Amino acid sequence: FSGGTEAIRYFVNGDVLNQGGQYKSGDLKFRRYQLRSNLDIKINDWIDLGVDIYGASGKRIQPGASRTWIFRHFQLAFPTEVGQYPNGLYGVAAEDGANPGVMSSFESGSVDERDSELRTRFNLDLDLDFITEGLGLNANTTIIQRNGDTKNFQRPWMVYGYNPTTDEYVPQVGFNFNNGKFFSVEESFSKYNEEYYNAQLNYDRTFNDVHTLRAFVAME
């Protein structure tokens, strides 16, 4: 949305991104929401104010086994071993039961990553010609906040070897590179804050259409 008048102009934009993954299990997803708003206000003949706001929130969820470990065993899986039996059980497939089919699902655990960002910017322009011609002030402030939260749940998965003599499926615990054959839970947080301030006093004036004087003093 955009529009406005001579005194005020606005622009608002939002979007939602929803992505799936390439794993057959469907257990790989990403979603992000974004919103941006720009507002320019002419308060009077000598004051202009700008307000820009950006916000985003995202969530990514994926299996507990790492992508590196999964794709590595695409190459290391034994061609003579069963990947998945007709009854749906996963076969051993590779050394230590590292079957990419089961590792690329929530059977290997889950990693839940959430992040958010808020960014605001305020800009002020002052025309100080009423003090002296050619004098002006520009000031702006930017504030950024980012937060992250990751929950990593690792668990061993089950694969099965088939015994044709007894017609039984023998269970075997798969080996996870991150935690071996044990359950593990890890949670981490991150927080990032940044503040930026800038002010600049400008003087730009031409005398008698011949001599020009330009100068500024700034602080940030």
Side-chain angles (χ1 to χ4, degrees):
F1 301 91
S2 63
T5 65
E6 292 184 359
I8 184 170
R9 298 189 305 275
Y10 64 87
F11 171 82
V12 180
N13 176 68
D15 66 78
V16 178
L17 174 65
N18 191 21
Q19 291 181 331
Q22 295 180 338
Y23 297 155
K24 183 179 180 180
S25 64
D27 297 338
L28 179 61
K29 303 173 184 178
F30 175 71
R31 176 172 290 183
R32 177 173 293 278
Y33 302 90
Q34 295 186 104
L35 180 66
R36 182 186 302 276
S37 172
N38 300 334
L39 188 64
D40 296 313
I41 306 171
K42 188 173 184 60
I43 298 177
N44 54 38
D45 291 338
W46 59 281
I47 302 178
D48 291 319
L49 177 65
V51 181
D52 300 336
I53 300 175
Y54 169 78
S57 176
K59 177 182 178 180
R60 182 188 307 275
I61 187 167
Q62 58 191 9
S66 68
R67 292 185 295 270
T68 303
W69 193 241
I70 294 171
F71 284 98
R72 171 182 170 83
H73 284 85
F74 283 151
Q75 302 174 5
L76 297 181
F78 301 135
T80 56
E81 290 285 349
V82 176
Q84 190 173 20
Y85 296 101
N87 61 6
L89 295 178
Y90 286 98
V92 176
E95 184 179 4
D96 291 324
N99 186 326
V102 66
M103 289 193 297
S104 59
S105 72
F106 289 150
E107 292 296 321
S108 64
S110 63
V111 180
D112 189 340
E113 299 174 303
R114 301 168 187 254
D115 64 88
S116 62
E117 178 178 349
L118 178 63
R119 184 187 298 260
T120 57
R121 183 177 186 272
F122 302 92
N123 186 77
L124 179 66
D125 281 311
L126 300 181
D127 186 345
L128 303 178
D129 276 355
F130 64 90
I131 297 178
T132 183
E133 182 183 345
L135 187 65
L137 175 68
N138 172 262
N140 62 78
T141 299
T142 300
I143 300 174
I144 303 172
Q145 294 182 330
R146 297 193 189 101
N147 295 285
D149 180 7
T150 301
K151 296 179 181 179
N152 191 337
F153 170 53
Q154 304 279 333
R155 71 176 182 181
W157 56 85
M158 298 299 296
V159 292
Y160 298 83
Y162 177 68
N163 187 334
T165 303
T166 59
D167 192 27
E168 293 180 332
Y169 294 91
V170 182
Q172 174 183 329
V173 179
F175 177 82
N176 191 327
F177 177 77
N178 292 320
N179 64 311
K181 296 183 179 180
F182 301 95
F183 287 89
S184 69
V185 178
E186 179 182 345
E187 187 167 5
S188 60
F189 303 90
S190 64
K191 185 175 182 180
Y192 172 88
N193 292 324
E194 178 180 337
E195 297 180 7
Y196 171 80
Y197 303 94
N198 176 282
Q200 183 168 312
L201 184 66
N202 302 289
Y203 184 71
D204 187 346
R205 185 172 179 179
T206 300
F207 299 89
N208 300 323
D209 297 326
V210 176
H211 304 288
T212 299
L213 177 61
R214 294 189 181 96
F216 74 89
V217 178
M219 178 185 69
E220 67 179 24

